[in-house]
Amino acid sequence: MSNQPTQLIVALDFDSLDEATRLVDAAGASVLWYKVGKQLFTRYGPDALRPLKKAGKKVFLDLKFHDIPNTVRQAVRSALDIGADMVNVHAGGGLAMMAAAAEARRPDSLVIAVTVLTSMDQQALSQVGVQSSLSDQVERLARLARQAGLDGVVASGHEITMIRAACGPDFVQVIPGIRLASGSADDQKRIMTPGAAAEAGAQFIVVGRPVTRADDPAAAASEIVRQLECGGS
Ligand code: C5P
């Protein structure tokens, strides 16, 4: 995996499936992977994946499961049954929960973990009783995810090098918070360009608004892919 080019995942953060489908049509062949999250899935359930699968796309179902091991194992199995190609769980659910998720994995699927939500800072971590530093906690949970047999983690761009050193180059890293150097940061605080994420060794980047709100989504996606391939910014 480490020598493969970094792949683009476009986040379908929409209320309406019609809007999501229009974006997928507009982006065309420039995008293979899409992320369906809680916003769309809570309204439409498995129907949210159908137009994507019909168009031959790959789906990252971002539902961040966190429950007892047996429930998470069955939830991952259900997610793969309805067509998800990538599924995630919260690493905070522990080793046994992540191992149960890994058991449900199939040969062509990826099951990954979220370490510490990027919306949490040091104070938020200590409020929930975590005394270690944020980066130590991210590293601890990434190592635990690897030990549990998961394929990788969702991480901030600024954690790629540290996680790669701790878990190796084949441990998949999926990186949100990506912005083109010329674009707006929106509400993202710690952003990285596609080229920098690729350079650092990310296997996937997740991009929402820079593509979904672009006047020409296909052109925006193609520019991101170009930057992933040549490390431009
Ligand atoms: O529009 P934008 O590119 O900011 O969207 C990023 C996507 O990645 C959203 O779906 C957001 O929820 C998700 N995400 C994130 N930061 C994380 C985890 C997920 O921005 N740490």
Side-chain angles (χ1 to χ4, degrees), residues 1 56 79 101 105 107 110 123 130 141 165 181 194 202-203 215 224:
M1 197 96 198
R105 195 182 45 225
L110 292 168
Q123 188 191 7
V130 176
L141 291 175
Q203 282 83 351
D215 292 335
I224 291 169

Side-chain angles (χ1 to χ4, degrees), residues 155-165 173 175 192 196-198 200-202:
S156 137
H158 303 275
E159 294 160 353
I160 300 173
T161 306
M162 179 265 282
I163 293 173
R164 200 175 155 91
Q173 296 200 49
I175 312 296
M192 189 171 248

Side-chain angles (χ1 to χ4, degrees), residues 11 13 35 64 118 154 176-179 187-188 206-210:
D13 295 325
K35 179 169 88 71
K64 302 185 182 69
T118 48
V154 180
I178 300 291
R179 288 295 179 271
D187 56 352
Q188 295 280 13
V206 177
V207 181
R209 289 161 289 182

Side-chain angles (χ1 to χ4, degrees), residues 108-178:
D108 289 334
S109 60
L110 292 168
V111 182
I112 62 174
V114 175
T115 57
V116 178
L117 291 169
T118 48
S119 53
M120 294 189 82
D121 58 13
Q122 194 68 54
Q123 188 191 7
L125 264 192
S126 54
Q127 281 168 349
V128 296
V130 176
Q131 298 308 328
S132 46
S133 74
L134 207 146
S135 72
D136 283 356
Q137 181 68 357
V138 168
E139 182 177 340
R140 174 184 295 116
L141 291 175
R143 285 181 187 274
L144 204 62
R146 187 166 181 275
Q147 190 187 338
L150 292 187
D151 298 294
V153 286
V154 180
S156 137
H158 303 275
E159 294 160 353
I160 300 173
T161 306
M162 179 265 282
I163 293 173
R164 200 175 155 91
C167 299
D170 293 331
F171 194 61
V172 172
Q173 296 200 49
V174 178
I175 312 296
I178 300 291

